[in-house]
Amino acid sequence: MHPVHHAAQTPDKSAVIMAGSGQSLSYAQLNARSNQVANLLRGHGLKAGDAIAILLDNCPEYFEIAWGAQRSGLYFTCLSTKLQVDEIAYILTDSHAKMLFVGVNFLALAEDAMRHAGVKIPVVVVGGAATDHAVYAEARDGQTSDPIADESAGAYMRYSSGTTGRPKGSKIPLTGAPIDAPNA
């Protein structure tokens, strides 16, 4: 069931609880913030079928970003924090990511990977401030929590280790189905 239904039925119930810190998000907060992310993505010109990449430690913001991309009809690729510069560069290029959400502690790695790939995409920094890049909380909070007009189900784009020495991307076709459709 999509979090939007839980937000309507049990808005104050915890959707996310981080084991180490106890930091949590209610379903109402997750729904509102994922709508803000969807509006942020549209504000940057991303449309259904486009892709984003996410390079973060485990944190509640990951869920906001992933669900915001999902409800925007986007592909979202999570980059392992254990990848090397050339591997991240390859995935950013191969996935055709048009925006990167990155934890402040991985910003230098992400910038090196973009230089290595010759890719220049908008970067949104999670968990701290950075020069030359948007700060996630400020960028998110500057958006309305109203749903975008053209909501449709996006999907996770997975990367395996590949058999050729390069990660291999795998994605399902997007159908334009509603955000809570089966397999969404």
Side-chain angles (χ1 to χ4, degrees):
M1 186 179 296
H2 194 277
V4 71
H5 297 295
H6 294 292
Q9 295 169 0
T10 55
D12 297 328
K13 185 176 179 181
S14 293
V16 176
I17 302 173
M18 300 306 296
S21 67
Q23 190 178 8
S24 67
L25 270 178
S26 70
Y27 278 107
Q29 290 171 313
L30 178 57
N31 188 55
R33 290 178 183 178
S34 67
N35 277 322
Q36 290 174 298
V37 171
N39 282 291
L40 173 67
L41 294 165
R42 286 294 189 269
H44 276 274
L46 278 76
K47 60 190 180 321
D50 286 341
I52 66 166
I54 305 169
L55 179 61
L56 294 173
D57 280 323
N58 293 334
C59 62
E61 291 85 357
Y62 164 79
F63 296 97
E64 300 169 9
I65 296 163
W67 281 110
Q70 191 278 343
R71 71 188 319 147
S72 301
L74 302 181
Y75 288 106
F76 55 100
T77 298
C78 300
L79 302 166
S80 169
T81 59
K82 307 297 184 208
L83 292 175
Q84 301 297 311
V85 168
D86 63 322
E87 294 167 315
I88 294 171
Y90 175 81
I91 294 172
L92 287 175
T93 302
D94 185 69
S95 69
H96 303 284
K98 294 191 174 182
M99 183 176 259
L100 174 62
F101 291 85
V102 61
V104 68
N105 50 330
F106 299 110
L107 182 56
L109 175 65
E111 288 174 331
D112 288 347
M114 288 190 301
R115 271 192 297 279
H116 184 79
V119 172
K120 186 159 179 67
I121 58 176
V123 173
V124 181
V125 179
V126 177
T131 57
D132 303 326
H133 302 297
V135 174
Y136 174 72
E138 293 172 8
R140 179 200 64 209
D141 292 348
Q143 304 297 318
T144 179
S145 61
D146 295 333
I148 58 174
D150 61 339
E151 275 189 335
S152 65
Y156 180 71
M157 184 172 181
R158 293 166 176 83
Y159 274 83
S160 70
S161 58
T163 57
T164 63
R166 283 278 187 206
K168 179 177 169 75
S170 171
K171 61 184 181 180
I172 62 170
L174 298 178
T175 65
I179 58 174
D180 59 352
N183 300 325

